[in-house]
Amino acid sequence: MKSAFPGIKRIAYEGPASKNPLAFKHYNPEEIVEGRTMREHLRFAVVYWHTFRGTGSDPFGAATMQRPWDDGTESLKNAKKRVRVAFEFIEKLGAPYYCWHDRDISPEGRNLAESNRNLDAIAKVLKEEQQRTGIKLLWGTANLFSHPRYAHGAATSCNAEVFAHACAQTKKALEVTHKLGGEGYTFWGGREGYQTLLNTDMKREQEHLAAFLRMAVEYKKKIGFRGQFYIEPKPKEPTKHQYDSDSAACLNFLREHGLLPHFKLNIETNHATLAGHTMQHELEVAGAAGALGSIDANTGDELLGWDTDQFPTNIYLTTYTMLSVLKYGGFKSGGVNFDAKVRRESFEPIDLFYAHIGGMDAFARGLKIAAAIRKDGRLDAFVKDRYASWDKGIGAKVESGKASFKSLEEYALKKGNPPKNHSGRQEFLENLINEFI
Ligand code: XLS
Ligand code: NI
Ligand code: NI
């Protein structure tokens, strides 16, 4: 097959002084940071759906993307060709992983059996390309939101027939993920939510969602799939309210249904913004619960209220993200997955390279800056010192469970004077971060 990206060679690390737009300035896969290579820390993944299926269409206009290798049809032949192109791209970029939805790699058939056969045919080509290049599957997932049958949701549909179909589709997607050596599987509740409570039995729908996930856990064990399960929080879009609205809601749901041991979270930057949180907040909530699994690296536009899925280039964002990731011990099964799309106006194939190179460099810088802040130690020391009153005396008594309202009243009465506080020093700390950026 002839090259889809002629003239583009494997993207190399050329260092910060390079002016070559097709080179890494900061992502040096072999460079050691905190005892691990950058490749091992960041575990970059390319998403199949935006990068190879994104057309650039929006509610106001038609497709804009120039993809000369793609004939625009839903044929198996075209789907197979696309796989070769995808692997040429990922290999030239030097990303070690990729991710897919079942229906963006292979066409939906006239019925489930035909869809399954299509998926098997494509999985065969994916396997060949994985073996040829050494590129691995970070996670797979089922698209349970595009087809009209999922208009009312999939696992939370009011229609039990649709629920059954969604389970069958997920079973197959799990098998294919397993067959391709996937290191994880993500559940994003595409349309699992509601548009209006007037027609919705919320409790019943959530119980169905739990039943769906319970069966997935069961089946995972049955087929011996050892990859990590993730839930990806998102508050809205396409529905008015999605049940997996943010990290806290997901954790509560998983705990309520006894599913927490089987899942971690896949946190997406733009979803955090839509939930009215920062990425750092979402990562800290997940991390504190031991559930920080993976990230969908993108960014939203602060002035737009929807999931714009832009490539991340903001160094503060990547620094804060990597500070949290390092704090909770780094990625195990997860990685930095670019769930991001080039703008509609960036329609040439080469823009795909610029976008990913920029995202990878931004994360490499974030990683290096976060490691430098940790090595410096002043930030950590400040936080530790801020809570010093809990390390001894009355604080230690409370933390060890040896205090009561009565004993604390006695203590406070004896102390008499109002307790003395120290400054929170936010501005001082913001300046400290800027020393490293
Ligand atoms: C959509 C989600 C989706 C998941 C995978 O907003 O980010 O792309 O990552 O289903
Ligand atoms: Ni995502
Ligand atoms: Ni998203």
Side-chain angles (χ1 to χ4, degrees):
M1 206 182 92
K2 91 176 196 298
S3 163
F5 307 99
I8 296 181
K9 290 198 279 296
R10 170 91 188 217
I11 307 301
Y13 170 71
E14 292 184 4
S18 168
K19 294 276 182 281
N20 177 3
L22 289 172
F24 295 118
K25 320 287 188 302
H26 298 278
Y27 178 58
N28 179 6
E30 306 310 329
E31 189 176 324
I32 305 280
V33 178
E34 292 198 9
R36 281 204 278 171
T37 63
M38 281 195 174
R39 184 189 288 111
E40 290 163 335
H41 269 292
L42 294 165
R43 297 164 58 86
F44 287 122
V46 172
V47 300
Y48 207 94
W49 51 99
H50 290 311
T51 301
F52 305 107
R53 301 309 310 274
T55 64
S57 68
D58 72 8
F60 301 93
T64 57
M65 294 299 157
Q66 296 168 5
R67 302 290 183 252
W69 57 83
D70 198 307
D71 65 18
T73 67
E74 284 297 322
S75 73
L76 253 185
K77 188 167 163 252
N78 194 30
K80 286 182 184 168
K81 193 165 168 211
R82 226 184 260 126
V83 173
R84 308 281 183 203
V85 173
F87 276 80
E88 182 190 342
F89 174 81
I90 304 169
E91 193 181 22
K92 284 185 167 170
L93 182 68
Y97 291 97
Y98 75 115
C99 292
W100 49 248
H101 294 98
D102 51 359
R103 297 294 180 261
D104 55 53
I105 50 176
S106 79
E108 174 102 29
R110 278 160 303 180
N111 51 43
L112 185 61
E114 190 180 61
S115 297
N116 288 349
R117 278 197 299 278
N118 289 346
L119 188 52
D120 283 333
I122 295 301
K124 204 167 149 255
V125 188
L126 288 170
K127 183 138 207 186
E128 271 171 37
E129 288 295 303
Q130 287 185 198
Q131 278 163 351
R132 182 183 69 76
T133 59
I135 293 162
K136 294 185 277 187
L137 178 61
L138 190 68
W139 50 259
T141 185
N143 177 331
L144 304 178
F145 47 90
S146 291
H147 195 279
R149 81 171 67 86
Y150 296 125
H152 299 301
T156 63
S157 175
C158 49
N159 184 345
E161 304 292 331
V162 172
F163 179 95
H165 193 99
C167 290
Q169 188 181 328
T170 302
K171 173 179 178 288
K172 182 70 185 175
L174 276 168
E175 289 163 10
V176 174
T177 300
H178 183 38
K179 199 162 21 172
L180 293 175
E183 298 186 18
Y185 185 94
T186 292
F187 294 85
W188 170 59
R191 291 182 192 272
E192 315 296 20
Y194 60 80
Q195 295 293 7
T196 171
L197 284 172
L198 287 174
N199 64 13
T200 303
D201 186 335
M202 189 152 81
K203 184 170 164 55
R204 214 165 170 188
E205 290 198 0
Q206 295 211 17
E207 273 161 10
H208 297 160
L209 180 58
F212 165 73
L213 295 175
R214 222 173 281 124
M215 287 188 272
V217 169
E218 228 172 71
Y219 193 64
K220 170 187 199 237
K221 282 193 196 133
K222 183 155 192 268
I223 61 175
F225 174 51
R226 304 175 73 88
Q228 176 65 51
F229 271 0
Y230 307 106
I231 301 259
E232 183 175 323
K234 184 175 183 178
K236 55 188 169 194
E237 200 202 89
T239 64
K240 172 198 178 79
H241 175 81
Q242 311 246 144
Y243 296 134
D244 299 332
S245 54
D246 64 2
S247 290
C250 287
L251 291 170
N252 180 55
F253 174 86
L254 291 169
R255 254 189 221 109
E256 180 181 349
H257 296 282
L259 288 161
L260 194 53
H262 307 289
F263 288 84
K264 289 195 187 315
L265 301 184
N266 178 37
I267 314 276
E268 178 165 322
T269 323
N270 205 163
H271 298 179
T273 323
L274 292 176
H277 303 310
T278 59
M279 179 64 165
Q280 192 187 11
H281 168 92
E282 288 294 83
L283 293 167
E284 288 295 318
V285 171
L292 205 183
S294 197
I295 67 173
D296 269 9
N298 63 17
T299 190
D301 188 303
E302 304 270 299
L303 302 181
L304 298 175
W306 64 87
D307 198 8
T308 57
D309 286 334
Q310 289 164 237
F311 276 83
T313 53
N314 184 319
I315 308 299
Y316 286 96
L317 169 68
T318 58
T319 298
Y320 289 132
T321 300
M322 291 315 296
L323 270 174
S324 292
V325 169
L326 292 176
K327 176 171 162 189
Y328 295 104
F331 295 117
K332 308 275 178 328
S333 53
V336 176
N337 176 44
F338 290 112
D339 192 358
K341 59 187 181 217
V342 289
R343 297 304 84 195
R344 184 169 191 267
E345 300 81 1
S346 308
F347 43 70
E348 293 176 19
I350 198 168
D351 291 309
L352 294 174
F353 279 96
Y354 294 143
H356 285 86
I357 290 169
M360 289 162 83
D361 263 347
F363 265 90
R365 282 182 79 180
L367 169 64
K368 285 191 280 189
I369 294 167
I373 292 170
R374 282 157 59 85
K375 181 155 184 247
D376 170 81
R378 277 176 291 163
L379 183 63
D380 277 349
F382 183 90
V383 177
K384 189 161 188 329
D385 187 55
R386 188 158 180 252
Y387 293 88
S389 67
W390 294 90
D391 295 334
K392 53 182 184 329
I394 197 69
K397 242 184 217 149
V398 175
E399 281 198 352
S400 62
K402 288 189 194 119
S404 66
F405 265 16
K406 192 163 171 296
S407 73
L408 293 174
E409 184 196 46
E410 269 163 32
Y411 181 84
L413 284 172
K414 198 149 69 198
K415 279 260 155 169
N417 296 328
K420 187 169 168 282
N421 265 325
H422 298 288
S423 166
R425 301 246 189 277
Q426 181 172 334
E427 299 77 7
F428 164 89
L429 293 171
E430 285 166 348
N431 297 348
L432 192 152
I433 296 290
N434 276 354
E435 274 183 38
F436 294 87
I437 293 211

